[in-house]
Amino acid sequence: MNVQIFSALAEPNRLNIVELLLEGPLQVGDIAKKLEMNQPQTSKHLRVLCDAGLVEVQPVANRRIYRIKPEPLQELDKWLNSYRRLWEARMDRLDDYLDVLQGKKTLN
Amino acid sequence: MNVQIFSALAEPNRLNIVELLLEGPLQVGDIAKKLEMNQPQTSKHLRVLCDAGLVEVQPVANRRIYRIKPEPLQELDKWLNSYRRLWEARMDRLDDYLDVLQGKKTLN
DNA sequence: ATAGAATATTCCTGTAAAGGAATATTTTGA
DNA sequence: TCAAAATATTCCTTTACAGGAATATTCTAT
């Protein structure tokens, strides 16, 4: 699992941008307006999201339209799924572990 | 969606710890050994994971056994699901947006 | 009570990242 | 070609965070 997506989403403004773009593509100015950020910071955050592959640009005339790239979200989903049975059940392996501590079992 | 979980998972060592603990509870020393980190940094990262609610402690004698708390992962899963249809289809709303730009439709 | 094991915390330092302000760049429209 | 709009980048400053080393804390066992 690539850590970059977590890093990109760890910033509140960027998470807001992603949630906004999930509803549809937008140009920079409108993102800034809707989220009440100023333009330079918006561009900077979009750059980070771009680098993380969460977003892509489509230049149209004067504007730059940003939209979500689903791949990283799919990857995150796959990661969660691969561990789902572990964190869903979580059948207290704690008891087993206590046995290990008491020498009844061995640790790998 | 709380940003704290992303922030906690944005550090490679911490992501490793989480993936390790998903397979079962472990005490600090063993985590450090398995991930080849030294003990103080391990404790520090565990603290961050604790604060983020991703992990909980169970003191047993001398040791402290850490284990996964599934709630934040469930929350993350719910977040992904709530947007799934958006990023899965992504039916190019770009065309719609281009119409907006040309004044054929209006923006909210 | 005390030594020792396991773990947590503190102090220090370097580095990365975020916001503000200013400026550069790109593209359009005339 | 030129002014203006939209966006990106740079510079600066402040803050947060990570690792290393040392030390404090907590608990056990004797």
Side-chain angles (χ1 to χ4, degrees):
Chain A
M1 181 66 204
N2 184 11
V3 135
Q4 202 178 7
I5 183 182
F6 292 123
S7 175
L9 296 178
E11 211 281 332
N13 293 306
R14 283 198 294 266
L15 184 56
N16 288 335
I17 291 178
V18 166
E19 292 184 332
L20 181 56
L21 287 184
L22 274 165
E23 292 161 14
L26 280 178
Q27 67 190 45
V28 179
D30 289 339
I31 298 173
K33 204 170 304 170
K34 287 213 181 194
L35 300 182
E36 296 180 343
M37 319 172 45
N38 48 36
Q39 179 267 317
Q41 336 295 337
T42 305
S43 283
K44 285 188 233 178
H45 285 309
L46 284 168
R47 182 124 165 58
V48 175
L49 292 173
C50 235
D51 290 346
L54 271 163
V55 137
E56 66 186 355
V57 207
Q58 166 120 9
V60 170
N62 224 358
R63 298 91 192 271
R64 299 213 161 195
I65 301 178
Y66 284 87
R67 56 177 161 176
I68 288 293
K69 284 192 69 176
E71 289 82 357
L73 296 175
Q74 284 167 343
E75 188 192 353
L76 180 52
D77 193 52
K78 275 173 57 181
W79 181 77
L80 273 181
N81 275 322
S82 75
Y83 285 112
R84 183 180 311 278
R85 68 170 42 182
L86 296 182
W87 53 264
E88 270 191 346
R90 202 182 57 141
M91 49 185 120
D92 265 3
R93 283 169 299 268
L94 184 57
D95 296 335
D96 288 352
Y97 191 69
L98 293 182
D99 292 344
V100 171
L101 284 183
Q102 295 174 3
K104 297 181 188 168
K105 300 180 181 177
T106 52
L107 198 60
N108 335 336
Chain B
M1 181 67 204
N2 185 10
V3 135
Q4 202 178 5
I5 184 183
F6 292 123
S7 175
L9 296 178
E11 212 282 330
N13 292 306
R14 283 199 294 266
L15 185 57
N16 287 336
I17 292 178
V18 166
E19 291 184 334
L20 180 56
L21 288 184
L22 274 165
E23 290 161 15
L26 280 178
Q27 66 190 44
V28 179
D30 290 338
I31 298 173
K33 204 171 303 170
K34 288 213 179 194
L35 299 182
E36 296 181 344
M37 320 171 43
N38 48 35
Q39 178 267 317
Q41 336 295 338
T42 306
S43 284
K44 284 189 235 177
H45 284 309
L46 284 168
R47 182 122 165 59
V48 175
L49 292 174
C50 234
D51 290 347
L54 270 163
V55 138
E56 66 185 355
V57 206
Q58 165 120 9
V60 170
N62 225 358
R63 298 90 191 273
R64 299 211 161 198
I65 301 178
Y66 283 86
R67 57 177 159 175
I68 288 293
K69 284 191 70 176
E71 289 83 357
L73 296 176
Q74 284 167 342
E75 189 191 352
L76 180 53
D77 192 52
K78 274 172 59 181
W79 181 76
L80 273 181
N81 275 323
S82 74
Y83 286 111
R84 183 180 313 276
R85 68 169 43 181
L86 296 181
W87 53 264
E88 270 191 345
R90 201 181 58 141
M91 50 185 122
D92 266 3
R93 283 170 298 269
L94 184 59
D95 296 334
D96 288 353
Y97 192 69
L98 293 183
D99 292 343
V100 171
L101 285 184
Q102 296 174 1
K104 298 181 187 168
K105 300 178 181 176
T106 54
L107 197 62
N108 334 336

